[in-house]
Amino acid sequence: MKKYLFKRDTLLATACVFLIMGLFSLLPLNTHLFDPIKMALSDLSFNDLAFSVIKSHKDNGIDKRIVVVDIGQSSRADIAATIDSINKGNPSTVALDITFAGPKEPAADSALRSALSNTKQLVLAEKIAFHGDSLQSAPNYFRTPNATVGYINFIGEEDAVIRHYSPSETTADSTYQSFTSQIVRLSNLQSFEQLSHRPQGSTLITYRRDASQYLTIDHAAMLRGEVDLSVLNGKIVLVGLANTNANDIEDKFFTPLNKKFAGKSTPDLNGIYIHANILSMVMDQDYTKKIPGWLMMLVSVIVVWLHMAFFLKYYIEKHIWFHLVVKSVQLVSAVLFIYFGILLISKAGIQANFTMMLGGVVLAVDVLYFYEGLAQWLRKKFHISTVFPGDHH
């Protein structure tokens, strides 16, 4: 293998691999031939394997800083009574993952407005939407002077896996903070300042806990006096819809914690638990680091170059074993890439994109056939030397 590493043919064949991959990426292909595969794998990230298969989050304990209060399908009157009960527990911050669009029954609305006004550190939720360069929000009907408001939008909500979120959005004249950013700003200013100094744009969510790893209280039990309100003292209390019924998908989203990581069938986690994971990540400074694209490109070139030298050796010197050996090497390499990617994300919190590397190794064999024909033609036409023998097939 060593004698082929710096051969001109090895270097040019490797260059051809990346040239062809680049050309493929530019082609506006429009075919339905691979739709079934695309539907199953289009939203698959090998990082999801660390959560759904390896279950790297299972060893994490309950985050005692956050309490979730499930209000189910409660009326506004019940929500008001629940907020009053929560306030008696002296939480640090109360955040409602609920959007109230407009008025309903006057007495219930009045009671809810009063309960919210009596909440010391309150965060309410709104939805936002971009219209050109401007941003518009659907105002929360119960927005009060003492309330802080944040948007609850995730990135890719429509039938997509929620892997990223945006901590803030900036327009020409203002900046909007997300629901979780506002909670952190009120409850943990140091973490908020650290978040503010991070690069702008989408942030990969580090999922460390599923629904069972956050203390969840049923609002009805709270109203019946069955809950020791001291568990809320100094805690961030998230109020919203939280259910563990797999058949109830209201306000549920696909996440990397989904047990079925490819071709997902049903959403697996309520939005309130996604917000809880974001809060845990920000307060722990547990951000996923991403290997720069240029570095992955450099590593991909080196890996494909080494594979090409190995393939070329067997193609020329041991052609009878060529197909068996290279297919085995491609399979082992693919498994190792995926395994290494899982280790990076689960153990070191580092995200790496092995798509180019894996694609290059898979494409290398077919490019080698093409390159041999090109090299033979160049030798006959222009007398350019090549490592391929003239009678090789």
Side-chain angles (χ1 to χ4, degrees), residues 4 308-323 325-326 365 368-373 376 387-389 392-393:
Y4 291 100
M308 185 64 76
F310 181 80
F311 293 164
L312 197 59
K313 171 183 172 64
Y314 268 83
Y315 188 70
I316 294 174
E317 299 180 7
K318 302 178 181 180
H319 193 73
I320 190 172
W321 296 102
F322 176 71
H323 289 283
V325 170
V326 298
V365 176
L368 188 57
Y369 289 130
F370 160 79
Y371 180 78
E372 182 197 16
Q376 297 285 18
V387 297
F388 296 103
H392 198 269
H393 296 286

Side-chain angles (χ1 to χ4, degrees), residues 204-384:
L204 185 69
I205 302 171
T206 304
Y207 286 92
R208 296 299 188 196
R209 295 171 177 87
D210 58 27
S212 68
Q213 292 166 297
Y214 289 99
L215 175 60
T216 302
I217 298 173
D218 178 48
H219 85 287
M222 180 180 288
L223 295 180
R224 291 194 299 266
E226 299 171 1
V227 176
D228 181 1
L229 297 178
S230 66
V231 301
L232 306 179
N233 185 40
K235 307 295 175 60
I236 296 172
V237 178
L238 302 179
V239 182
L241 181 60
N243 68 79
T244 57
N245 184 350
N247 297 318
D248 185 352
I249 62 173
E250 183 177 357
D251 191 43
K252 279 190 176 179
F253 301 86
F254 294 112
T255 75
L257 300 176
N258 199 306
K259 294 179 181 179
K260 191 175 182 182
F261 65 88
K264 297 176 176 63
S265 57
T266 56
D268 56 286
L269 203 63
N270 284 113
I272 198 166
Y273 291 115
I274 299 178
H275 291 306
N277 269 280
I278 294 172
L279 289 172
S280 298
M281 175 187 73
V282 174
M283 291 189 292
D284 291 336
Q285 295 295 296
D286 187 21
Y287 299 107
T288 298
K289 298 172 282 292
K290 188 174 182 180
I291 297 179
W294 67 265
L295 181 56
M296 286 305 302
M297 175 69 175
L298 177 61
V299 175
S300 298
V301 170
I302 293 172
V303 170
V304 174
W305 168 53
L306 293 174
H307 279 75
M308 185 64 76
F310 181 80
F311 293 164
L312 197 59
K313 171 183 172 64
Y314 268 83
Y315 188 70
I316 294 174
E317 299 180 7
K318 302 178 181 180
H319 193 73
I320 190 172
W321 296 102
F322 176 71
H323 289 283
L324 176 61
V325 170
V326 298
K327 295 302 179 186
S328 299
V329 169
Q330 286 176 326
L331 178 60
V332 171
S333 295
V335 172
L336 288 176
F337 295 159
I338 295 169
Y339 180 69
F340 188 55
I342 293 172
L343 286 181
L344 282 176
I345 193 72
S346 62
K347 301 299 183 183
I350 298 175
Q351 181 190 23
N353 187 345
F354 288 91
T355 303
M356 183 177 297
M357 192 182 301
L358 182 58
V361 171
V362 170
L363 193 60
V365 176
D366 294 305
V367 171
L368 188 57
Y369 289 130
F370 160 79
Y371 180 78
E372 182 197 16
L374 177 62
Q376 297 285 18
W377 179 80
L378 289 173
R379 176 164 56 188
K380 293 178 180 178
K381 189 75 174 177
F382 302 104
H383 304 289
I384 297 176

